Amino acid sequence: MRDVFVVGGAHTPYLGKFHPDFIWKKHPDFGTRTNPNTEQYIRTIVADTFAATGATGALVDKAFIGNFAGELFDNQGHLGAFVAAADPGLVGKPITRVEAACASGGLALSNGVDAIRAGADIVLVLGAEVQTTRNAMDGADYLARAAHYSRQREIDPFTFPALFARRIKAVVAHTDTTTDDLALAAVKAYGNANKNPYAHMRAYKMDLAAAKASPTFLQNAELTDWLRVSDCSQVSDGASAVILASPKGLEKLGKAKSEVVQILASVIAVGAIDQDPDPLVMATVKAAAQRAYAEAGLGPADMQVAEVHDCFTVAEVLATEALGFADAGQGARLLRDGVTALDGRLPVNTGGGLVAFGHPVGATGVKQALEIFRQMTGQCGDYQLATPPTVGVSANMGGDDRTAVVSIYRAG
Amino acid sequence: MRDVFVVGGAHTPYLGKFHPDFIWKKHPDFGTRTNPNTEQYIRTIVADTFAATGATGALVDKAFIGNFAGELFDNQGHLGAFVAAADPGLVGKPITRVEAACASGGLALSNGVDAIRAGADIVLVLGAEVQTTRNAMDGADYLARAAHYSRQREIDPFTFPALFARRIKAVVAHTDTTTDDLALAAVKAYGNANKNPYAHMRAYKMDLAAAKASPTFLQNAELTDWLRVSDCSQVSDGASAVILASPKGLEKLGKAKSEVVQILASVIAVGAIDQDPDPLVMATVKAAAQRAYAEAGLGPADMQVAEVHDCFTVAEVLATEALGFADAGQGARLLRDGVTALDGRLPVNTGGGLVAFGHPVGATGVKQALEIFRQMTGQCGDYQLATPPTVGVSANMGGDDRTAVVSIYRAG
């Protein structure tokens, strides 16, 4: 099996409501300027990624783009042909758009890893999403297409928040986790994002009192008390990309192994969407993690940093359990004990996670890989870990634990 | 590079208006029965493909599903998780949904080939699409998301038919091709489909007089005279799938090389969607074909059968030129001279092509691969070629020549 390395990459700022640069009715430029569309995000992220890594369109052998719902939010599918339009050197290259809801970016990453193993030397992996073109109710309807729409849409106008409120209700009933623990997760996320210039919520403060006082919003009477606005990830626009390379690709780019990060495993697991998951367990994430650890020859105790898919605060708790950092039902202890804080033993979501870095759906799984790279190479600025980690893991999830992509990284 | 084989597969019937089994207002069961949805097509095609090949969910290492617009036509994305739901053995497997408009199926095939090269032994490749849930005008708006929507949507309410009417107008002005030649292409397609029990138009007759008398329908005054209904592919529902295997995968399935078909190359090329293509040339298909021929060590003269992407009749003419079967501007001669007929030297679209076999968008590229397999293994019944071909090619296209997937096959 050929070795696969992350050479570097780029993020755009993640934009949306409460970001100072996001154009909406309360912004002074409202009516005179608009936010970037998907095409513009793709152009920007390709150019920035080439600038950051020394890659060029001509050097790229293959490309993968993760995007969930461009057809709905931006009237645009066939996004591979927008990647080709982003750089003259990319015209004619093999470019594949992949989709697995919120795991679209992870799918792009994992298929990019396979492309290297199949013979490519330099692979461009990007994710992009625009979601702020529609109002919240329409957006929630679009996002429900990541669930089993005909079966699950009616649980609430906000289908996905309701599905995760159901998890919170079950987790609080059956484990030690409390809603105060989930407030701690939100405070950690916002605190980290406040140190991150790319974060959607970089300028929005959230202390424990604010998190506990955050309003509920679901219409489903059995679920509404269980989910606060502060428990939710953001409706963000944005893009992230990485360049992957084989050993020969590193030579072409003039990179030493000491400058890059190896991907030891990148495993996709997919569950059956016609069945409701056990609300206490992220079984698909766990299955992907177990295979990824086995492929990498490492285990949870080896991990020094993690990016997990906190689409809702409870998902961070359950993901840390699925990754083996805590026993079943005990994930919240990591938050209480500060284990997953920036100065903890195993920092999780150092840039703010989906809750506060933001969640431009198709970009998220790619962002996770770049965040691990940036921590390992000391590029995280105000949220840089004191000792750059050398081993880490990312866990990207689509739907309610229906697609999972778990990747294991080691500094070169 | 590991060898890759097609072991077999399955089609569902392709359904839509004028198919005797399609439920619509003129069908006696209208109101009491409905047509299958995407979920049902996925279940059916997975079961039929396993039955046809001896593969099982447990044996599948990876899966790819091509689908263009489930989010729009069927309110459903995240289709990988529907593949996992189709068979208990597929739960937990790596499954990737890919999209490149009408080349989504080809993209699934090509990425499936790469998965074998990266180490998988048995890969399930399927394509599925449902399009008959919406009226023609809404469907045309959805399909326009395969073009550059903000720039090209306004050319006509039927955006894609207008883009290809533009090609016809240019081709007739600048080459020997006439609209009568395009009528010949339609007659060939329907004639072949009338022999094909899976074809959408299996029961619909189209002779030369009918093709020449077929009505126009565009609103764009400069283009409407150039495109007849008989020039267009069908709005179909349906699914197709194949099983790919490595040499070790063949062993697991108990298949001899003599029973299967090797894929010598499967090349994706993607053009820039912000530029209008030369209307006289399928440059992206040509680029993919040239690379595929080089990889396979074969050329146009070696081909004995072809599946090409006749989304409109003119696209068949231009695709045969792009594949090197005729010089630029001379593709229509193949039709006039009967070269591409069932009894010709190089039969093209033996089962009826997109024009009459039908065009369930995400399935088409997978269907092409299975059709080559079926001809090579003598399974085509009434449209079986007298001498089963041993070398063949498929060319799947997304948008107006923006994504192309060209694959070369050799009987085992």
Side-chain angles (χ1 to χ4, degrees), chain B residues 20-58:
Chain B
D21 299 337
F22 179 66
I23 311 291
W24 63 311
K25 58 190 175 192
K26 297 189 181 174
H27 191 283
D29 293 353
F30 183 71
T32 61
R33 276 203 304 141
T34 57
N35 296 300
N37 64 15
T38 308
E39 178 170 17
Q40 290 163 325
Y41 272 112
I42 291 171
R43 277 189 196 283
T44 300
I45 202 64
V46 169
D48 290 356
T49 298
F50 288 170
T53 59
T56 63

Side-chain angles (χ1 to χ4, degrees), chain B residues 49 55 107 142 154 160 181 196 219 226 260 275 292 298 325 341 345 377 390 403 410:
Chain B
T49 298
L107 219 56
Y142 293 172
E154 296 306 323
F160 266 94
D181 294 327
N196 176 2
Q219 292 182 18
W226 295 97
V260 300
Q275 289 164 31
L298 295 169
F325 302 155
R345 178 173 51 77
T377 53
T390 59
T403 294
R410 187 171 60 200

Side-chain angles (χ1 to χ4, degrees), chain B residues 73-371:
Chain B
F73 284 109
D74 219 4
N75 296 330
Q76 193 61 65
H78 203 176
L79 293 181
F82 284 82
V83 178
D87 186 281
L90 292 173
V91 172
K93 295 294 171 83
I95 307 171
T96 295
R97 181 259 182 119
V98 297
E99 184 273 322
C102 307
S104 298
L107 219 56
L109 181 75
S110 188
N111 279 283
V113 168
D114 253 17
I116 299 275
R117 291 175 179 162
D121 288 317
I122 298 178
V123 172
L124 168 65
V125 175
L126 66 145
E129 200 87 39
V130 164
Q131 303 183 86
T132 63
T133 51
R134 302 288 191 266
N135 65 46
M137 294 297 265
D138 286 346
D141 185 56
Y142 293 172
L143 293 171
R145 287 158 170 81
H148 192 296
Y149 190 93
S150 66
R151 189 170 65 86
Q152 298 181 302
R153 175 69 184 107
E154 296 306 323
I155 187 171
D156 194 273
F158 290 95
T159 299
F160 266 94
L163 292 173
F164 281 83
R166 192 167 69 181
R167 282 193 182 264
I168 295 174
K169 187 178 178 180
V171 161
V172 170
H174 296 289
T175 76
D176 283 347
T177 304
T178 66
T179 54
D180 283 1
D181 294 327
L182 302 181
L184 282 177
V187 171
K188 172 170 77 71
Y190 280 79
N192 293 357
N194 292 164
K195 303 177 197 294
N196 176 2
Y198 297 108
H200 181 157
M201 288 300 190
R202 69 172 167 82
Y204 192 99
K205 307 294 178 190
M206 177 77 70
D207 62 18
L208 197 58
K212 288 183 183 181
S214 181
T216 61
F217 62 97
L218 295 177
Q219 292 182 18
N220 183 317
E222 292 180 18
L223 297 174
T224 186
D225 290 345
W226 295 97
L227 188 82
R228 299 179 283 219
V229 168
S230 58
D231 289 312
C232 302
S233 56
Q234 302 309 312
V235 175
S236 312
D237 302 341
S240 292
V242 293
I243 295 288
L244 304 182
S246 69
K248 191 172 162 192
L250 292 184
E251 282 178 37
K252 290 182 184 178
L253 293 168
K255 299 280 183 187
K257 284 192 184 178
S258 58
E259 305 172 78
V260 300
V261 165
Q262 188 171 358
I263 299 186
L264 300 173
S266 185
V267 170
I268 303 167
V270 182
I273 202 159
D274 60 344
Q275 289 164 31
D276 284 331
D278 177 345
L280 304 181
V281 182
M282 294 293 189
T284 309
V285 175
K286 189 172 179 177
Q290 288 176 338
R291 293 215 307 271
Y293 286 137
E295 266 190 38
L298 295 169
D302 298 308
M303 299 300 123
Q304 299 166 10
V305 67
E307 286 283 319
V308 309
H309 195 93
D310 58 328
C311 46
F312 300 90
T313 49
V314 71
E316 174 169 329
V317 173
L318 295 175
T320 53
E321 295 173 13
L323 291 173
F325 302 155
D327 289 340
Q330 305 294 315
R333 289 193 185 181
L334 303 172
L335 288 160
R336 277 179 233 146
D337 299 345
V339 173
T340 52
L342 285 188
D343 59 359
R345 178 173 51 77
L346 175 51
V348 168
N349 292 353
T350 64
L354 284 61
V355 164
F357 194 150
H359 184 27
V361 173
T364 289
V366 182
K367 176 203 67 170
Q368 293 180 328
L370 184 58
E371 284 299 283

Side-chain angles (χ1 to χ4, degrees), chain A residues 35-375:
Chain A
N35 296 300
N37 64 15
T38 308
E39 179 171 17
Q40 291 163 325
Y41 272 113
I42 291 171
R43 277 189 198 283
T44 300
I45 201 65
V46 168
D48 290 356
T49 298
F50 287 170
T53 59
T56 64
L59 281 172
V60 167
D61 296 313
K62 293 206 171 183
F64 293 86
I65 174 166
N67 171 268
F68 170 42
E71 296 82 355
L72 294 159
F73 284 109
D74 219 4
N75 295 331
Q76 194 60 66
H78 202 177
L79 293 181
F82 284 82
V83 177
D87 186 281
L90 292 173
V91 172
K93 296 294 172 83
I95 307 171
T96 296
R97 182 259 182 120
V98 297
E99 185 273 321
C102 307
S104 299
L107 220 56
L109 181 75
S110 187
N111 280 283
V113 167
D114 253 17
I116 299 276
R117 290 174 179 164
D121 288 317
I122 298 178
V123 172
L124 168 65
V125 174
L126 65 146
E129 201 87 37
V130 164
Q131 303 183 87
T132 63
T133 51
R134 302 289 190 265
N135 66 45
M137 294 297 264
D138 286 348
D141 185 55
Y142 293 171
L143 294 170
R145 287 157 170 81
H148 192 297
Y149 190 93
S150 65
R151 189 171 64 86
Q152 298 181 301
R153 175 69 184 108
E154 297 305 322
I155 188 172
D156 194 273
F158 290 95
T159 300
F160 265 94
L163 292 173
F164 281 82
R166 192 167 69 182
R167 282 195 182 263
I168 294 173
K169 187 177 178 180
V171 162
V172 169
H174 296 288
T175 76
D176 283 348
T177 303
T178 66
T179 53
D180 283 0
D181 294 327
L182 301 181
L184 281 178
V187 170
K188 172 170 79 70
Y190 279 80
N192 293 357
N194 292 163
K195 302 178 198 294
N196 176 2
Y198 296 108
H200 181 157
M201 289 300 192
R202 70 172 166 82
Y204 192 98
K205 307 295 177 188
M206 178 76 73
D207 62 17
L208 197 59
K212 289 184 182 179
S214 182
T216 61
F217 61 98
L218 295 176
Q219 292 182 19
N220 182 316
E222 292 180 19
L223 296 174
T224 188
D225 289 346
W226 295 96
L227 188 82
R228 300 180 282 217
V229 168
S230 58
D231 288 312
C232 302
S233 56
Q234 301 309 312
V235 175
S236 311
D237 302 342
S240 292
V242 294
I243 296 288
L244 305 182
S246 69
K248 191 171 162 194
L250 292 185
E251 282 177 37
K252 290 182 185 178
L253 294 168
K255 299 281 183 186
K257 284 193 185 178
S258 58
E259 305 172 79
V260 300
V261 166
Q262 187 171 359
I263 300 186
L264 300 173
S266 186
V267 170
I268 303 167
V270 181
I273 203 159
D274 60 344
Q275 289 163 30
D276 284 329
D278 177 345
L280 304 181
V281 181
M282 294 292 189
T284 309
V285 175
K286 189 172 178 176
Q290 288 175 338
R291 294 216 306 272
Y293 286 136
E295 265 190 40
L298 295 169
D302 298 308
M303 298 301 123
Q304 299 166 9
V305 67
E307 287 282 319
V308 309
H309 195 91
D310 57 329
C311 46
F312 299 90
T313 48
V314 70
E316 173 169 330
V317 173
L318 295 175
T320 53
E321 295 173 12
L323 291 173
F325 302 156
D327 290 339
Q330 305 294 314
R333 288 193 186 182
L334 302 172
L335 289 161
R336 277 180 234 145
D337 298 346
V339 172
T340 52
L342 285 189
D343 60 356
R345 178 173 51 76
L346 176 52
V348 169
N349 293 353
T350 64
L354 285 61
V355 164
F357 194 150
H359 184 27
V361 173
T364 289
V366 182
K367 176 203 70 171
Q368 293 180 328
L370 184 58
E371 285 298 283
I372 301 283
F373 174 89
R374 294 174 73 237
Q375 283 291 358

